[in-house]
Amino acid sequence: MADTMTFSLIADQPPVPPPANPAGEGGMLTSPMFPFLLIGLMLLFWVVVILPMSRRQKKEQEQMLSNLKRGAKILTTSGIVATIVSAKDGEDEIVVRSEETRLRIKRSYVAQVLGTEDADVAKA
C-alpha cells in the first residue's frame, strides 16, 4: 500500500516549469552586444588567418620576381608562355621570347616560373 501512495503523490504533482532564461526570450541573438561580438570574431579571423597568408604570398611573389634569370620559362598573367631573353637586376622590365616574337614586359606580369630552357632540352 505504501508503494501505491508514493506513486500517487508523484503523479499528482504539477509539472516543473522550465528554467527562466536570464538573457530574455531570444537568447544571445537579441542581445545588443551580439553585433559587436560578430564583428570581433570576423576581425580575429582576419588577423589570425587572412593577414599572415597574404603576407606570405606577397613575400613569395617578390622572391620569385627577384630571381628571374635568362633562359627561364615563364607564364605571364595574360597566359603567354615565353623564355626570358634578358633580365637585368634593378630594372622593372624584362625581354622575353615566345616562338618568333620578342616582347618587353614588366616583371610584375610574371605569374609563374615553369622551369628553364636547358632542363627542357635535357629531357628531350
Side-chain angles (χ1 to χ4, degrees), residues 23-24 29 31 35 39 45-46 49 53 61 63 74 79 86-87 94-95 99 111 117 121:
L29 293 177
S31 170
I39 290 170
F45 179 78
W46 182 75
V49 176
M53 182 176 56
Q61 179 76 7
Q63 183 180 9
I74 59 166
S86 71
I94 59 175
V95 178
E99 297 293 324
E117 194 173 72
V121 172

Side-chain angles (χ1 to χ4, degrees), residues 63-119:
Q63 183 180 9
M64 179 199 62
L65 294 179
S66 67
N67 290 334
L68 291 177
K69 302 288 182 213
R70 184 175 192 268
K73 284 188 80 168
I74 59 166
L75 174 68
T76 64
T77 55
S78 59
I80 298 171
V81 177
T83 304
I84 297 176
V85 175
S86 71
K88 296 178 184 171
D89 291 336
E91 285 189 11
D92 193 33
E93 292 183 345
I94 59 175
V95 178
V96 295
R97 177 178 42 92
S98 180
E99 297 293 324
E100 297 299 320
T101 306
R102 283 183 173 233
L103 301 169
R104 192 173 205 164
I105 64 170
K106 292 198 174 266
R107 283 182 188 256
S108 59
Y109 288 105
V110 176
Q112 186 179 6
V113 176
L114 302 174
T116 60
E117 194 173 72
D118 299 333

Side-chain angles (χ1 to χ4, degrees), residues 43-55:
L43 183 65
L44 180 68
F45 179 78
W46 182 75
V47 167
V48 171
V49 176
I50 306 264
L51 190 62
M53 182 176 56
S54 65
R55 284 182 180 170

Side-chain angles (χ1 to χ4, degrees), residues 1-23:
M1 173 112 174
D3 292 334
T4 322
M5 191 165 136
T6 307
F7 177 72
S8 65
L9 287 176
I10 294 173
D12 290 338
Q13 291 181 357
V16 178
N21 190 354

